[in-house]
C-alpha cells in the first residue's frame, strides 16, 4: 500500500512539473510572437510566476527522487481520444462570442479567418504540444493545462474590459484565476467522468452562443421602428424644395466637449471660443447627443431619426435621409473619414468618399489582432491608415472652389476620447488636453481654409459625444444610479456645436438642443417651409446604450431622469429654452 501511494505521489509531482514547464514555455513562446498589448503584459508577469512555481515543484521532485528510489520517467507518447476534441468548445466559446457580436465587421472570408486561426491555436496548445510532452508526463493533465491556457488567452479582451469585475481589484489575480480555476474544475471532472466533462464544456459553449445572440439581436432590434417612405413624402411637398444653395460643411471633431464640461475638467478653452465667435460662429451651449458612441450618434444626425431601422454604418455610408434630400436638390455629397471604421456592408451612397475601403474586408484581421492583444480598442481599424493623408485630402477639399452645390461631411480623429479600458490613467486628462490643443489647431485651419475659398458657405462644427474622462473613463455599468451626476452624463453624451450661418439665411432661432437638430434647422432655413424644424426634430432622449453608458440615467428634453441630479437640467449654461 505504501509503495502504491508513493508511486502515485511521485507520478503526480512529475506530471505537475511537466505541466507547469509546458505553461512556462507556452508563455515565453507567445510573449515574443503575439502583438504587444494586454496579453503580452500578462505573459511577461505570468512566466515569472510560472518559473517560480516550477522551481518549487522541481525541488519537491528532487526530494521525492531521493526518498523513493524507484523514481521513473514515463517514456511513452499518448494520443487523445476522439471525444476529447469536444473539449475545444471551452477555449473556442469566447471566440464564438466575438464572431456573433462583431458580425457587422465581418464578410465570409473574415468570418472564416476569425474562426480558423483561433481553432488552429487551440489545436496546437491543447493537443499538439501536450502529445509531444506526454512522453514525460500525463497527457490528460497537459491537455487540460493547454485548454485552460488557451481559454485564458482567448478570453483576455473580456478580462481586461471591465476592471470593476476584477477579483481583489487586481487584473493579474483575475487573469491567474481564469487559468487556474478552469484547470482544477475540468481536470477533476475529466478524471472522474469524461462524459460529464464533455457535456459541461458543450453546454457552456451553447450557453455562450444563446447569450451573445440575444445581445446581438437586442442591439439590432428594429421592431419599434416605424417604416415609412419619408423621402418620397418629403420631396412631394413643394415647400420643401431647397431654394438657398450655399455650400454646406459639416465638420465633426471626435469627442470635443461642451464649454461647461471643459470648465468642470479645469481647462480654459475661451481662446478657441473667441476665435469662433470672431469668425461669425454662434455657439450652441448645452448641446448633447441622443447617442453615446460615434456611429450611433452621427448616424442619427444624418438620418434625422432616433429609432434606426438599420445599423448606424448604413447611414454613415451615405444612405441617409438628409443626404438623399440634398442629392435630389442638386447637391454633390462628399464623405471624408479617417478610416473605414464608419463604413459597413451597405453600398456607399456618397458621391465622393474616402477611404475607398470596406470595413468588412479588414474586419477579420483587425478583430483577430485585437483578440491576441487582449483588448478591443476603439482605434483598431485605424492601424493601417495614415492620419496625415486624411488631413491632406481634407485640406485639398476645403481649399478648392466648388463648381456645384455640395454637402461636405467629415469626421476627424481629435481630440479623441479615453482608452475605454475601464480605468482612467493617472494623466488621462493631461493627455486629453494635449490632444485638444491639436484639435483646436486643426479646427482653425479648417475654418480658415473654408472662409478663404468659400466665404458664403454654411459651416457646422460639432462633436459626436463626450471624451469619457470621469469616474472609470468608460461606460458606467456596475455603478449605482445615485452616484451618477450631471457631469458624468455630460462627459459621455455632451457635445460641442457651433454654426456659421450665411447672411442670406433667416434669423429664426429653432431652439437647437441636440446635434440631431442640425439638419432640421438647416432645412427650415433653406426651404420655404419654416415649420420643418418642428416636423423633423428628433425626440430629445437617449436612444443608445444609456443603461451601460450612464447606469440607466437618461435625459428627457434637457432634464436629467434618475441619478444624483434627477430633475435638474443637464447643463447649467444653455442656448436653448427648456420646455415646461
Amino acid at each position: 500500500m505504501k509503495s502504491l501511494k508513493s508511486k502515485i505521489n511521485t507520478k503526480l509531482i512529475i506530471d505537475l512539473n511537466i505541466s507547469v514547464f509546458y505553461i512556462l514555455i507556452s508563455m515565453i513562446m507567445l510573449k515574443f510572437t503575439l502583438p504587444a498589448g494586454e496579453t503580452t503584459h500578462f505573459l511577461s508577469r505570468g512566466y515569472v510566476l510560472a518559473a517560480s512555481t516550477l522551481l518549487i515543484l522541481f525541488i519537491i521532485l528532487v526530494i521525492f527522487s531521493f526518498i523513493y528510489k524507484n523514481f521513473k520517467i514515463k517514456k511513452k507518447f499518448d494520443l487523445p481520444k476522439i471525444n476529447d476534441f469536444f473539449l475545444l468548445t471551452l477555449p473556442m466559446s469566447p471566440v464564438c462570442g466575438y464572431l456573433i457580436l462583431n458580425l457587422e465587421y465581418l464578410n465570409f472570408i473574415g468570418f472564416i479567418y476569425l474562426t480558423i486561426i483561433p481553432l488552429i491555436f487551440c489545436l496546437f496548445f491543447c493537443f499538439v504540444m501536450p502529445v509531444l510532452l506526454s512522453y514525460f508526463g500525463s497527457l490528460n493533465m497537459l491537455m487540460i493545462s493547454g485548454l485552460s491556457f488557451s481559454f485564458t488567452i482567448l478570453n483576455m479582451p473580456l478580462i481586461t474590459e471591465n476592471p470593476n469585475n476584477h477579483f481583489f481589484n487586481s487584473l493579474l489575480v483575475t487573469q491567474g484565476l481564469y487559468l487556474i480555476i478552469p484547470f482544477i474544475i475540468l481536470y477533476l471532472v475529466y478524471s472522474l467522468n469524461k462524459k460529464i466533462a464533455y457535456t459541461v464544456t458543450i453546454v457552456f459553449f451553447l450557453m455562450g452562443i444563446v447569450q451573445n445572440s440575444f445581445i446581438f439581436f437586442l442591439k439590432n432590434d428594429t421592431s419599434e421602428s416605424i417604416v415609412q417612405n419619408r423621402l418620397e413624402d418629403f420631396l412631394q411637398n413643394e415647400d420643401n424644395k431647397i431654394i438657398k444653395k450655399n455650400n454646406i460643411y459639416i465638420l465633426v471633431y471626435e469627442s470635443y466637449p461642451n464649454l461647461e464640461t471643459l470648465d468642470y475638467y479645469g481647462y480654459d478653452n475661451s481662446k478657441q471660443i473667441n476665435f469662433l465667435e470672431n469668425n461669425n460662429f454662434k455657439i450652441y451651449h448645452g448641446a448633447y447627443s441622443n447617442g453615446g458612441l460615434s456611429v450611433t450618434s452621427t448616424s442619427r444626425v444624418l438620418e434625422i431619426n432616433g429609432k434606426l431601422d438599420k445599423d448606424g454604418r448604413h447611414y454613415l455610408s451615405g444612405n441617409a435621409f438628409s443626404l438623399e434630400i440634398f442629392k435630389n436638390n442638386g447637391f454633390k455629397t462628399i464623405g471624408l473619414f479617417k478610416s473605414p471604421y464608419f463604413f459597413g456592408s451597405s453600398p456607399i451612397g456618397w458621391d465622393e468618399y474616402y477611404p475607398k475601403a470596406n470595413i468588412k474586408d479588414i474586419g477579420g484581421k483587425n478583430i483577430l489582432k485585437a483578440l491576441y492583444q487582449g483588448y478591443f480598442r476603439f482605434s483598431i481599424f485605424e492601424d493601417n491608415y495614415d492620419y496625415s493623408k486624411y488631413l491632406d485630402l481634407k485640406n485639398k477639399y476645403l481649399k478648392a472652389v466648388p463648381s456645384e452645390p455640395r454637402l461636405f461631411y467629415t469626421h476627424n480623429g481629435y481630440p479623441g476620447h479615453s482608452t475605454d479600458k475601464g480605468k482612467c490613467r493617472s494623466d488621462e486628462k493631461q493627455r486629453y488636453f494635449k490632444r485638444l490643443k491639436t484639435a483646436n489647431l486643426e479646427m482653425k485651419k479648417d475654418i480658415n481654409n473654408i472662409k478663404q475659398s468659400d466665404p458664403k458657405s454654411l459651416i457646422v462644427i460639432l462633436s459626436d459625444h463626450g471624451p469619457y474622462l470621469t469616474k472609470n473613463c468608460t461606460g458606467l455599468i456596475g455603478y449605482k444610479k445615485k452616484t451618477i451626476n450631471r457631469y458624468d452624463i455630460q462627459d459621455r453624451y455632451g457635445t460641442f456645436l457651433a454654426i456659421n450661418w450665411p447672411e442670406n439665411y433667416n434669423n429664426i432661432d429653432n431652439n437647437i438642443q441636440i446635434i440631431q437638430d442640425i439638419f432640421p434647422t438647416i432645412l427650415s432655413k433653406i426651404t420655404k417651409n419654416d415649420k420643418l424644424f418642428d416636423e423633423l426634430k428628433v425626440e430629445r432622449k437617449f436612444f443608445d446604450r444609456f443603461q451601460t453608458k450612464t447606469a440607466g440615467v437618461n435625459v428627457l428634453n434637457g432634464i436629467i431622469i434618475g441619478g444624483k441630479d434627477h430633475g435638474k437640467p443637464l447643463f447649467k449654461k444653455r442656448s436653448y429654452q427648456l420646455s415646461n
Side-chain angles (χ1 to χ4, degrees):
M1 189 70 180
K2 183 179 179 181
S3 177
L4 177 61
K5 183 178 180 181
S6 64
K7 183 177 179 181
I8 293 173
N9 289 339
T10 304
K11 183 178 182 303
L12 178 62
I13 295 300
I14 293 173
D15 291 342
L16 286 172
N17 269 272
I18 299 301
S19 293
V20 174
F21 173 74
Y22 166 49
I23 295 299
L24 174 61
I25 60 173
S26 297
M27 285 182 165
I28 295 174
M29 185 189 309
L30 291 181
K31 168 67 175 68
F32 295 103
T33 54
L34 292 182
E38 293 292 340
T39 302
T40 53
H41 184 54
F42 160 68
L43 295 170
S44 297
R45 295 187 294 177
Y47 74 69
V48 174
L49 294 175
S52 302
T53 304
L54 181 61
L55 178 61
I56 295 171
L57 287 172
F58 182 74
I59 293 172
I60 295 173
L61 180 61
V62 170
I63 294 173
F64 265 67
S65 68
F66 279 109
I67 296 175
Y68 305 107
K69 302 297 183 180
N70 59 346
F71 174 83
K72 290 182 180 180
I73 297 293
K74 183 180 148 193
K75 295 182 181 181
K76 178 187 175 184
F77 289 107
D78 291 322
L79 295 174
K81 306 293 188 297
I82 293 296
N83 288 343
D84 287 339
F85 287 92
F86 284 124
L87 298 174
L88 284 171
T89 54
L90 176 66
M92 285 299 291
S93 58
V95 178
C96 186
Y98 304 146
L99 286 166
I100 293 171
L101 295 177
N102 292 286
L103 283 174
E104 62 190 290
Y105 306 120
L106 301 171
N107 57 19
F108 178 74
I109 294 175
F111 186 91
I112 297 299
Y113 186 84
L114 190 54
T115 304
I116 295 300
I117 300 301
L119 182 59
I120 294 172
F121 176 89
C122 292
L123 285 169
F124 180 79
F125 284 100
C126 300
F127 293 103
V128 176
M129 287 288 287
V131 166
L132 294 176
L133 291 173
S134 67
Y135 186 82
F136 305 101
S138 165
L139 173 65
N140 292 347
M141 186 175 288
L142 286 163
M143 182 175 65
I144 292 172
S145 296
L147 287 164
S148 301
F149 180 68
S150 300
F151 178 74
T152 304
I153 297 298
L154 296 177
N155 256 307
M156 200 61 66
L158 299 178
I159 298 172
T160 59
E161 74 171 352
N162 192 358
N164 292 326
N165 293 334
H166 290 166
F167 294 100
F168 305 108
N169 201 31
S170 169
L171 175 60
L172 182 60
V173 170
T174 305
Q175 292 165 330
L177 291 176
Y178 261 79
L179 178 63
I180 295 169
I181 292 176
F183 170 79
I184 294 173
I185 293 175
L186 189 57
Y187 184 72
L188 291 175
V189 174
Y190 185 85
S191 300
L192 294 172
N193 192 311
K194 292 181 174 60
K195 288 185 179 180
I196 293 179
Y198 302 144
T199 303
V200 168
T201 54
I202 291 172
V203 169
F204 180 78
F205 179 79
L206 293 176
M207 286 176 63
I209 290 178
V210 171
Q211 180 184 8
N212 288 303
S213 296
F214 177 76
I215 294 172
F216 175 79
F217 286 114
L218 185 66
K219 183 178 72 172
N220 293 278
D221 180 32
T222 61
S223 59
E224 295 184 2
S225 298
I226 301 174
V227 180
Q228 56 182 336
N229 196 337
R230 298 173 69 203
L231 181 63
E232 184 178 334
D233 292 342
F234 184 92
L235 296 175
Q236 284 178 351
N237 188 339
E238 281 296 318
D239 288 341
N240 292 342
K241 186 177 181 179
I242 295 176
I243 56 176
K244 296 177 183 177
K245 295 193 175 182
N246 303 65
N247 295 309
I248 299 173
Y249 297 86
I250 310 292
L251 310 179
V252 183
Y253 294 83
E254 176 68 34
S255 308
Y256 199 103
N258 202 285
L259 186 61
E260 180 178 319
T261 313
L262 274 176
D263 288 342
Y264 174 74
Y265 297 152
Y267 186 89
D268 183 4
N269 204 35
S270 58
K271 289 184 179 180
Q272 191 72 7
I273 299 300
N274 291 337
F275 167 80
L276 290 169
E277 291 178 336
N278 290 336
N279 278 275
N280 198 41
F281 278 86
K282 178 177 179 179
I283 311 298
Y284 290 87
H285 295 289
Y288 59 99
S289 176
N290 56 23
L293 298 171
S294 296
V295 171
T296 58
S297 175
T298 54
S299 59
R300 288 180 166 91
V301 170
L302 294 177
E303 181 60 8
I304 319 178
N305 209 337
K307 298 176 181 178
L308 302 179
D309 296 322
K310 299 180 183 295
D311 179 80
R313 287 181 173 80
H314 171 78
Y315 309 103
L316 291 169
S317 296
N319 307 297
F321 176 57
S322 66
L323 300 177
E324 292 300 325
I325 291 173
F326 283 94
K327 287 179 187 178
N328 278 273
N329 280 272
F331 280 73
K332 174 185 281 189
T333 60
I334 303 168
L336 200 65
F337 300 87
K338 58 183 177 176
S339 76
Y341 171 76
F342 295 92
F343 297 156
S345 59
S346 299
I348 304 297
W350 299 100
D351 294 319
E352 294 181 15
Y353 66 96
Y354 173 85
K356 304 285 185 180
N358 189 320
I359 194 172
K360 290 204 169 192
D361 293 336
I362 61 173
K365 290 183 179 180
N366 284 34
I367 293 171
L368 187 68
K369 179 181 178 181
L371 190 162
Y372 283 117
Q373 285 181 322
Y375 171 53
F376 286 128
R377 55 191 170 87
F378 61 90
S379 59
I380 188 67
F381 291 102
E382 299 170 18
D383 285 358
N384 299 319
Y385 288 86
D386 185 355
Y387 192 70
S388 63
K389 185 176 180 180
Y390 158 78
L391 289 178
D392 290 342
L393 189 57
K394 181 170 68 166
N395 290 335
K396 182 179 178 181
Y397 271 111
L398 300 185
K399 288 180 179 180
V401 179
S403 59
E404 58 185 317
R406 71 177 180 184
L407 187 152
F408 178 87
Y409 178 95
T410 186
H411 193 133
N412 88 333
Y414 284 89
H417 50 76
S418 65
T419 59
D420 200 28
K421 284 187 176 182
K423 187 176 182 180
C424 300
R425 292 171 292 193
S426 59
D427 60 344
E428 196 74 64
K429 287 183 180 178
Q430 286 68 32
R431 287 170 181 252
Y432 179 79
F433 296 156
K434 184 177 180 180
R435 298 195 305 270
L436 184 61
K437 292 178 181 178
T438 302
N440 284 341
L441 291 174
E442 185 179 337
M443 185 187 296
K444 288 180 179 179
K445 186 173 183 179
D446 291 343
I447 291 170
N448 288 332
N449 284 338
I450 298 172
K451 288 283 187 177
Q452 290 176 14
S453 63
D454 201 358
K456 295 182 180 180
S457 62
L458 187 161
I459 309 171
V460 180
I461 303 292
L462 74 148
S463 61
D464 48 354
H465 54 73
Y468 288 78
L469 296 177
T470 67
K471 286 191 167 61
N472 62 357
C473 289
T474 187
L476 299 176
I477 186 171
Y479 281 81
K480 294 181 179 179
K481 273 189 177 183
K482 64 182 180 180
T483 66
I484 309 303
N485 61 40
R486 63 154 48 97
Y487 297 110
D488 295 323
I489 307 169
Q490 290 181 17
D491 181 60
R492 286 151 180 82
Y493 286 87
T495 61
F496 182 80
L497 180 60
I499 302 179
N500 173 61
W501 295 106
E503 292 180 359
N504 61 327
Y505 282 28
N506 67 57
N507 295 320
I508 297 174
D509 188 353
N510 287 313
N511 204 39
I512 295 175
Q513 186 173 132
I514 57 178
I515 59 172
Q516 286 73 22
D517 287 337
I518 291 171
F519 280 110
T521 196
I522 290 175
L523 289 168
S524 72
K525 291 176 179 289
I526 62 177
T527 65
K528 293 180 180 179
N529 189 350
D530 56 8
K531 297 180 180 178
L532 266 181
F533 180 81
D534 291 326
E535 293 176 9
L536 294 176
K537 70 179 182 181
V538 181
E539 193 174 359
R540 282 123 168 79
K541 70 174 185 178
F542 297 160
F543 286 92
D544 175 64
R545 303 189 185 185
F546 65 92
Q547 294 292 346
T548 56
K549 294 298 179 185
T550 52
V553 178
N554 206 329
V555 171
L556 183 62
N557 296 319
I559 301 297
I560 300 170
I561 307 300
K564 186 176 182 179
D565 293 313
H566 174 74
K568 297 179 182 179
L570 176 59
F571 286 93
K572 296 178 181 178
K573 185 175 183 179
R574 307 177 300 276
S575 298
Y576 50 85
Q577 297 294 321
L578 295 173
S579 57
N580 295 326

